[in-house]
Amino acid sequence: SRIITLATIEADLKLLTEAFESLTWKDRWMIFNVWFLVSTVGNLFGLMYSSRVIFYQDDVMASAFLKACLGVACLMYWFALIQYLEFFPRYYIMISMLKLSVPRVSQFLLGVLPIFIGYALLGMVCFGDVTDRFGDVGETFRTLFAVVNGDIIYDTFNAIEFAGLGGQLY
């Protein structure tokens, strides 16, 4: 009886494996519940945070690790709430739109990223000693992002105008 059962289970597993391998990546992705993964990650980070606070009674906001755990847990909890919007099409339209647009926007960002990084490195090398706005890579990225959004155009232009014509063209 056990031999027959084990043989049956083995044959069933082989059929399931063959069926799963014949699926496309998109079909495989549809089998797994993304919301379960999001909730699990949020719960794990929440558990790490709360267990550390309960057992060690650290200063909650003094540790960068605890802040990161709490932040990721909160982010995942709020992401997990999106799954309930699926039952209200009027509210879920934004999520549906994001599902359709994310691949194309990602392709665009991946294409623009090398240009942006090169432009930022150029600014850091040329103007890093002139102003603190281009002092390191992170600050250069923030400055260029703010300039693109129109926030600090005048201030940045004034900060690099002492670099001559190159600063004005940049």
Side-chain angles (χ1 to χ4, degrees):
S1 163
R2 285 187 175 184
I3 296 173
I4 295 172
T5 306
L6 288 176
T8 307
I9 291 172
E10 187 176 324
D12 289 344
L13 283 175
K14 186 176 179 182
L15 285 173
L16 283 174
T17 304
E18 290 173 1
F20 186 75
E21 289 174 354
S22 68
L23 294 175
T24 64
W25 282 104
K26 186 176 182 179
D27 293 335
R28 288 180 188 181
W29 183 254
M30 296 298 289
I31 291 173
F32 297 107
N33 188 354
V34 177
W35 300 118
F36 177 74
L37 179 67
V38 169
S39 297
T40 303
V41 169
N43 288 335
L44 287 174
F45 276 97
L47 185 65
M48 284 191 297
Y49 172 79
S50 59
S51 63
R52 175 73 187 226
V53 170
I54 289 171
F55 292 121
Y56 296 107
Q57 297 178 354
D58 290 342
D59 185 15
V60 176
M61 288 300 163
S63 169
F65 173 74
L66 290 177
K67 286 181 186 179
C69 284
L70 181 61
V72 170
C74 290
L75 177 72
M76 292 297 137
Y77 291 152
W78 279 99
F79 276 168
L81 288 176
I82 293 173
Q83 70 180 322
Y84 299 108
L85 294 177
E86 290 181 26
F87 302 110
F88 303 102
R90 185 173 179 183
Y91 300 117
Y92 195 68
I93 193 162
M94 187 174 96
I95 304 303
S96 299
M97 179 191 65
L98 286 174
K99 280 183 183 178
L100 294 173
S101 64
V102 162
R104 299 214 43 192
V105 171
S106 299
Q107 288 173 351
F108 172 77
L109 289 176
L110 194 60
V112 169
L113 189 64
I115 297 169
F116 182 73
I117 290 174
Y119 192 68
L121 290 175
L122 172 71
M124 185 185 76
V125 169
C126 292
F127 310 116
D129 56 346
V130 176
T131 179
D132 289 338
R133 293 181 192 269
F134 294 96
D136 62 0
V137 177
E139 191 63 33
T140 303
F141 284 162
R142 284 187 286 279
T143 300
L144 291 178
F145 184 75
V147 167
V148 165
N149 288 322
D151 292 340
I152 57 170
I153 295 173
Y154 184 72
D155 298 334
T156 304
F157 184 76
N158 284 337
I160 63 174
E161 85 175 315
F162 299 111
L165 183 62
Q168 293 176 359
L169 291 175
Y170 183 79

